[in-house]
């Protein structure tokens, strides 16, 4: 996949020599370049994945008394189905929008395949002559790249849900003892468990922060691009309008889902402080004080290589950024015309 996407990036750049360079015509370059980065980053992550999972397993074993999230498996299945099926629908609409043309109508299967390759993968034909084997290979690789593109966001969503679920279990126990007198040893154990969750969060953030940054850059770029399409282009076919509408809606859904799920780790890590404020005076001890200090000062949050924190306020920042850049892109587009 790295070889295919990197080669496609180069071929898309060569293709730009034959057509007018615009923001919209550079979509292929950006898409395949991002796919290349996705594959490289996940390949790097795979080298550390076993160690990360061993650390996570030890934590769950040590905190088995808190139980396991009851609906976690169902949530994973539902979210995975929504993202992957949504990505498949987008891919099918993209291909259908290329086939819904005069030259592709009333064609048999081999002619449809050739028409699809010439319209959707024209950059490949710059260097390689068309053949049925090459066409099937491109269709298969196109499907793989689509799922890799969607898996980038899905991975962050699922990791965030799993980690936030561990904090929810700890918070559930804390809320059950809120305002109750508890011995110092109990507070010490809870503080140690919280600290272990904090360390696991920082370990995960260290290894996936590049993936998070790429996810937001990718979604921000293509949301702006699709909005520009909706403003500047006039679609000749209903299939094109349907594809652009679904693609934009699905991009926004993925971006919001990533932001809300990733920010839930930060939100859940702040819950213990409200329980600690309600500790009875007779139970207040050094361990409670240390726990309270850690909750207030230890920032447990996923980051994008420390460029920004993924919290709920990031959504407002993204909205403002999209509006700003959309105005710039529209002005730039008018200047070119």
């Amino acid at each position: 996949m790295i070889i295919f996407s990197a080669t496609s990036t180069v071929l898309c750049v060569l293709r730009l020599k034959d057509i007018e360079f615009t923001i919209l015509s550079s979509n292929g370059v950006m898409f395949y370049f991002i796919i290349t980065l996705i594959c490289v980053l996940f390949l790097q992550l795979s080298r550390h994945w076993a160690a990360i999972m061993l650390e996570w397993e030890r934590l769950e074993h040590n905190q088995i008394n808190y139980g396991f999230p009851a609906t976690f498996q169902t949530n994973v299945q539902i979210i995975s189905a929504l993202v992957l099926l949504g990505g498949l629908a987008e891919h099918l609409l993209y291909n259908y929008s290329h086939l819904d043309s005069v030259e592709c109508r009333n064609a048999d299967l081999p002619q449809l395949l050739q028409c699809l390759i010439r319209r959707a993968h024209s950059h490949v034909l710059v260097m390689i002559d068309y053949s049925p084997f090459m066409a099937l290979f491109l269709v298969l690789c196109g499907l793989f790249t689509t799922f890799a593109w969607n898996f980038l966001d899905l991975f962050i969503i699922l990791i965030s849900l799993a980690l936030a679920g561990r904090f929810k279990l700890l918070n559930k126990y804390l809320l059950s003892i809120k305002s109750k007198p508890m011995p110092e040893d109990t507070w010490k154990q809870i503080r140690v468990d919280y600290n272990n969750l904090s360390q696991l969060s920082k370990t995960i953030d260290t290894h996936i922060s590049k993936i998070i940054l790429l996810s937001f850059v990718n979604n921000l770029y293509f949301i702006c691009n699709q909005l520009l399409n909706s403003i500047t282009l006039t679609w000749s076919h209903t299939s094109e309008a349907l594809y652009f509408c679904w693609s934009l809606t699905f991009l926004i859904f993925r971006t919001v889902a990533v932001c809300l799920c990733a920010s839930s780790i930060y939100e859940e890590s702040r819950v213990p402080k409200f329980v600690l404020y309600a500790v009875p005076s007779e139970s207040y001890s050094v361990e409670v004080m240390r726990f309270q200090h850690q909750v207030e000062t230890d920032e447990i949050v996923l980051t994008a290589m420390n460029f920004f924190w993924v919290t709920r306020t990031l959504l407002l920042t993204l909205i403002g950024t999209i509006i700003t850049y959309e105005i710039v892109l529209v002005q730039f587009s008018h200047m070119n015309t």
Side-chain angles (χ1 to χ4, degrees):
M1 287 302 300
I2 292 174
I3 294 172
F4 169 77
S5 55
T7 304
S8 296
T9 304
V10 175
L11 293 177
C12 285
V13 173
L14 295 175
R15 175 64 174 165
L16 291 177
K17 295 180 180 179
D18 301 328
I19 60 177
E20 180 184 2
F21 176 80
T22 62
I23 297 173
L24 302 181
S25 65
S26 63
N27 278 354
V29 177
M30 285 299 300
F31 176 77
Y32 287 111
F33 178 67
I34 287 173
I35 294 297
T36 305
L37 293 179
I38 290 173
C39 295
V40 170
L41 290 179
F42 275 105
L43 184 62
Q44 291 178 346
L45 178 62
S46 66
R47 298 169 56 192
H48 308 281
W49 190 248
I52 296 173
M53 289 297 100
L54 285 174
E55 182 179 347
W56 198 315
E57 182 186 21
R58 285 193 295 268
L59 181 140
E60 290 193 343
H61 184 268
N62 293 333
Q63 299 185 14
I64 196 171
N65 55 302
Y66 298 122
F68 191 80
T71 60
F72 178 69
Q73 183 177 358
T74 303
N75 293 338
V76 167
Q77 293 171 344
I78 293 175
I79 293 174
S80 298
L82 287 175
V83 174
L84 296 179
L85 290 177
L88 179 61
E90 182 184 22
H91 181 69
L92 294 176
L93 286 173
Y94 172 78
N95 289 332
Y96 179 66
S97 66
H98 285 291
L99 293 175
D100 189 19
S101 59
V102 176
E103 60 268 25
C104 295
R105 292 173 184 171
N106 302 322
D108 55 16
L109 184 58
Q111 292 174 333
L112 280 176
L113 187 60
Q114 184 173 358
C115 187
L116 175 64
I117 298 304
R118 294 191 181 279
R119 292 175 62 86
H121 302 277
S122 58
H123 58 281
V124 178
L125 301 179
V126 174
M127 299 292 293
I128 305 173
D129 293 333
Y130 175 83
S131 68
F133 174 78
M134 182 266 289
L136 292 174
F137 175 77
L138 289 177
V139 169
L140 186 62
C141 287
L143 188 63
F144 286 160
T145 53
T146 297
F147 280 105
W149 193 51
N150 288 277
F151 184 75
L152 174 68
D153 292 335
L154 179 60
F155 175 80
I156 299 171
I157 292 171
L158 298 184
I159 287 291
S160 301
L161 287 177
L163 195 54
R166 299 308 310 177
F167 279 101
K168 287 181 180 179
L169 291 174
L170 179 64
N171 294 335
K172 181 180 179 181
Y173 176 74
L174 280 171
L175 292 172
S176 69
I177 62 173
K178 185 178 181 180
S179 302
K180 297 180 181 179
M182 303 297 294
E184 186 173 1
D185 290 342
T186 300
W187 289 114
K188 180 180 179 180
Q189 184 58 51
I190 297 174
R191 182 182 62 81
V192 170
D193 292 337
Y194 182 88
N195 184 65
N196 290 336
L197 279 172
S198 173
Q199 293 302 315
L200 178 61
S201 301
K202 289 177 172 58
T203 299
I204 292 173
D205 180 64
T206 300
H207 289 95
I208 73 169
S209 59
K210 294 179 182 178
I211 294 175
I212 293 174
L213 178 61
L214 181 61
S215 171
F216 279 98
V217 170
N218 168 67
N219 290 337
L220 184 62
Y221 173 83
F222 281 103
I223 286 176
C224 290
N225 196 286
Q226 294 294 57
L227 282 173
L228 184 63
N229 281 334
S230 64
I231 295 173
T232 60
L233 292 184
T234 55
W235 298 302
S236 56
H237 303 287
T238 305
S239 59
E240 293 179 354
L242 184 62
Y243 163 69
F244 280 115
C245 290
W246 173 253
S247 178
L248 178 60
T249 302
F250 189 55
L251 275 169
I252 294 174
F253 164 76
R254 279 166 38 194
T255 306
V256 172
V258 168
C259 195
L260 291 180
C261 291
S263 65
S264 65
I265 297 173
Y266 176 78
E267 299 296 329
E268 292 296 331
S269 70
R270 313 307 294 170
V271 171
K273 69 179 181 180
F274 301 107
V275 177
L276 294 171
Y277 291 153
V279 173
S281 300
E282 62 271 18
S283 297
Y284 195 81
S285 61
V286 175
E287 287 299 331
V288 175
M289 183 175 62
R290 292 177 64 186
F291 190 10
Q292 185 175 356
H293 177 74
Q294 181 173 2
V295 173
E296 291 175 347
T297 58
D298 191 8
E299 301 295 347
I300 304 175
V301 61
L302 295 182
T303 69
M305 295 184 67
N306 287 319
F307 285 113
F308 55 85
W309 292 358
V310 185
T311 61
R312 289 188 177 182
T313 55
L314 181 62
L315 268 179
L316 298 178
T317 305
L318 286 175
I319 293 172
T321 303
I322 290 171
I323 293 174
T324 302
Y325 278 95
E326 198 60 31
I327 294 173
V328 173
L329 289 175
V330 170
Q331 292 176 341
F332 181 74
S333 178
H334 289 322
M335 288 175 60
N336 286 342
T337 56

